[in-house]
Amino acid sequence: MTVEAFDAVEVIAAKRDGHRLSTAQINWVIDAYTRGTVADEQMAALAMAIFINDMEPEEIADWTQAMIASGQRMDFSSLSRPTSDKHSTGGVGDKITLPLAPLVAVFDVAVPQLSGRGLGHTGGTLDKLESIPGWRADLDNAEILRQLEEVGAVICAAGSGLAPADRKLYALRDTTSTVECIPLIASSIMSKKIAEGTAGLVLDVKVGSGAFMKDLDTARRLARTMVDLGTGAGVRTSALLTDMSTPLGLTVGNALEVRESLEVLAGGGPADVVDLTVALAEEMLRLAGRSDVDVRAALADGRAMDVWKKMIRAQHGDPDAPLPRAEHTEVVTAPATGVLSHLDALAVGVASWRLGAGRARKEDPVQSVAGIELHSKPGDTVTAGQPLLTLHTATPERFPRAVDALEDAVEIDGDTSGLRDSVVLETIT
Ligand code: URA
């Protein structure tokens, strides 16, 4: 029988009483939880104690390292090019990874984007790409390395071997109201990204109604914590704080967002999506030592599109096949004439989820075709009765609940002081 180094009850009591946990306590509790010796209810109590009493920077770094040590680490040191990746804390209409990964790869920087599926109102990158006929999310490590060497960019499912402690803990936090906690979010995200083995990492920390972080101060604290964790672990890390008070671009939902990403790769697309793609690409390239390149030109002249096509084909997708379209649509019109002062990201995200674009539980299927098209953005002048949103779904019985979610989403001629000129609010290095 293994003699355990600590007692879970004592570790929980220490955090409950506001004490700092030692490196040895943290290493033990994460390992014992992964092994199943620490029970779910004990980890749930500890997570709540952390939620209430916070953690010091050293504790967060130890917690992150212990979660990394619970699984395997990828190693890209054999590649002939440097690696740089991006992680978004999640938003509505956030399709940026799709044009970004091939764009960065144009400049001989490899992008190992190991992604997840969407949960709740934020969409998952893999769900979006799975609307492309034939496309495969699951690659083994040898396939990932080969694709990075040959194409330069890969977007695929993160294997279950990376930070398994986080996988277990994140599911538990989801059911115990302990998700919105900076030490736990920062260690969860960074354990996966550090285990992924990228040399450079840009964090896109979303701020606003559609994001985890509703205000700038909390977003700044999360960004600072993650940048320090990455830098402390030897990953060149920086963060952009970006606006998520309204959806990004003009589409929300899987196939709709792929269509918009293709517009960006063809040199067009909505300005906020293009600007954020370019800002993140420039930052990823800077971290990889490539600051002297014209990123916008690679969108305009088709080089990023060429890499996209290779990337999709390498994963058995057909980049030229038509994307699926919804059989049923319903239009929501502007209730008044004036300046659209607010179009709420969270409400649009929830409505799109109710149309079938997102899932409530990990194992739920998603509809490729479901989602919402925006016809106006905050700051535009609209006329009463003109189409504001088009809702898409394969299952029209979903329309009423989606329309309910949008009840307070639209504000016309309200306070315009919150309208932002730029989607990028701050950079943290
Ligand atoms: N995303 C993660 O991976 N972990 C969190 O805790 C929150 C968002």
Side-chain angles (χ1 to χ4, degrees):
M1 196 179 94
T2 320
V3 179
E4 296 295 333
F6 293 92
D7 175 9
V9 177
E10 282 170 14
V11 176
I12 299 164
K15 195 31 91 184
R16 179 199 63 197
D17 297 339
H19 299 298
R20 181 188 185 292
L21 299 181
S22 68
T23 307
Q25 281 174 316
I26 290 172
N27 286 343
W28 175 77
V29 84
I30 296 284
D31 175 56
Y33 179 56
T34 313
R35 284 187 280 117
T37 303
V38 167
D40 272 350
E41 60 270 24
Q42 294 177 311
M43 197 49 146
L46 182 57
M48 187 57 84
I50 293 169
F51 188 104
I52 292 167
N53 287 326
D54 210 346
M55 275 178 148
E56 291 181 14
E58 298 75 24
E59 289 178 285
I60 307 176
D62 286 344
W63 190 271
T64 307
Q65 284 302 334
M67 292 214 291
I68 296 169
S70 73
Q72 53 165 241
R73 287 182 83 146
M74 304 275 294
D75 179 6
F76 297 127
S77 57
S78 62
L79 289 179
S80 63
R81 13 183 163 190
T83 48
S84 204
D85 193 11
K86 183 263 324 191
H87 178 82
S88 157
T89 56
V92 177
D94 184 4
K95 70 277 296 170
I96 302 293
T97 295
L98 277 54
L100 178 65
L103 176 59
V104 170
V106 165
F107 300 100
D108 283 333
V109 170
V111 184
Q113 172 70 223
L114 306 190
S115 294
R117 288 170 206 282
L119 197 61
H121 73 275
T122 61
T125 299
L126 302 181
D127 296 323
K128 300 179 212 269
L129 284 164
E130 278 174 347
S131 58
I132 299 172
W135 187 85
R136 254 182 50 193
D138 292 313
L139 302 184
D140 63 28
N141 290 356
E143 287 171 318
I144 293 173
L145 271 170
R146 194 174 335 116
Q147 189 169 325
L148 283 173
E149 193 59 53
E150 289 172 6
V151 180
V154 62
I155 305 174
C156 67
S160 55
L162 289 185
D166 175 65
R167 192 169 284 255
K168 210 172 158 189
L169 179 56
Y170 195 15
L172 184 72
R173 287 167 55 214
D174 215 26
T175 56
T176 55
S177 201
T178 48
V179 170
E180 294 88 349
C181 167
I182 287 182
L184 295 178
I185 297 177
S187 54
S188 165
I189 292 174
M190 293 307 291
S191 62
K192 287 174 285 203
K193 284 292 154 181
I194 296 166
E196 175 195 276
T198 182
L201 176 66
V202 181
L203 299 157
D204 179 0
V205 179
K206 303 281 183 206
V207 193
S209 79
F212 271 128
M213 302 291 128
K214 309 290 180 203
D215 65 86
L216 204 51
D217 267 353
T218 341
R220 243 183 233 129
R221 272 208 303 133
L222 176 64
R224 182 80 269 154
T225 306
M226 291 197 291
V227 169
D228 290 348
L229 283 174
T231 308
V235 178
R236 286 187 293 278
T237 310
S238 62
L240 303 188
L241 302 188
T242 70
D243 183 35
M244 189 30 71
S245 55
T246 201
L248 253 178
L250 293 169
T251 58
V252 179
N254 301 313
L256 289 168
E257 292 191 42
V258 173
R259 192 165 303 142
E260 187 166 275
S261 302
L262 291 171
E263 287 170 21
V264 173
L265 287 161
D272 58 346
V273 178
V274 176
D275 290 350
L276 184 52
T277 304
V278 168
L280 287 164
E282 285 175 347
E283 189 59 17
M284 286 166 71
L285 290 164
R286 186 184 71 77
L287 294 179
R290 307 266 154 93
S291 302
D292 51 342
V293 292
D294 184 350
V295 170
R296 275 181 199 271
L299 288 174
D301 64 18
R303 279 176 293 161
M305 179 69 98
D306 290 344
V307 179
W308 162 267
K309 289 190 174 185
K310 282 189 202 148
M311 180 179 88
I312 297 301
R313 280 195 194 105
Q315 290 173 244
H316 307 275
D318 178 355
D320 302 312
L323 289 164
R325 281 181 181 274
E327 266 182 56
H328 306 275
T329 57
E330 185 162 312
V331 172
V332 173
T333 57
T337 297
V339 175
L340 181 63
S341 39
H342 188 60
L343 181 55
D344 190 64
L346 179 61
V348 175
V350 171
S352 168
W353 174 28
R354 289 185 180 177
L355 288 166
R359 54 171 70 75
R361 288 170 311 149
K362 271 205 320 287
E363 40 307 323
D364 292 348
V366 296
Q367 288 183 21
S368 288
V369 297
I372 299 183
E373 260 180 287
L374 281 59
H375 302 295
S376 299
K377 294 278 279 184
D380 292 351
T381 300
V382 296
T383 308
Q386 83 171 61
L388 205 52
L389 305 167
T390 301
L391 316 189
H392 296 237
T393 186
T395 39
E397 60 277 15
R398 290 171 179 265
F399 282 132
R401 295 232 321 126
V403 171
D404 283 351
L406 293 166
E407 196 179 11
D408 297 320
V410 177
E411 226 175 80
I412 290 170
D413 271 351
D415 180 9
T416 51
S417 60
L419 291 184
R420 321 252 194 207
D421 299 337
S422 160
V423 66
V424 179
L425 309 174
E426 270 179 46
T427 303
I428 291 184
T429 54

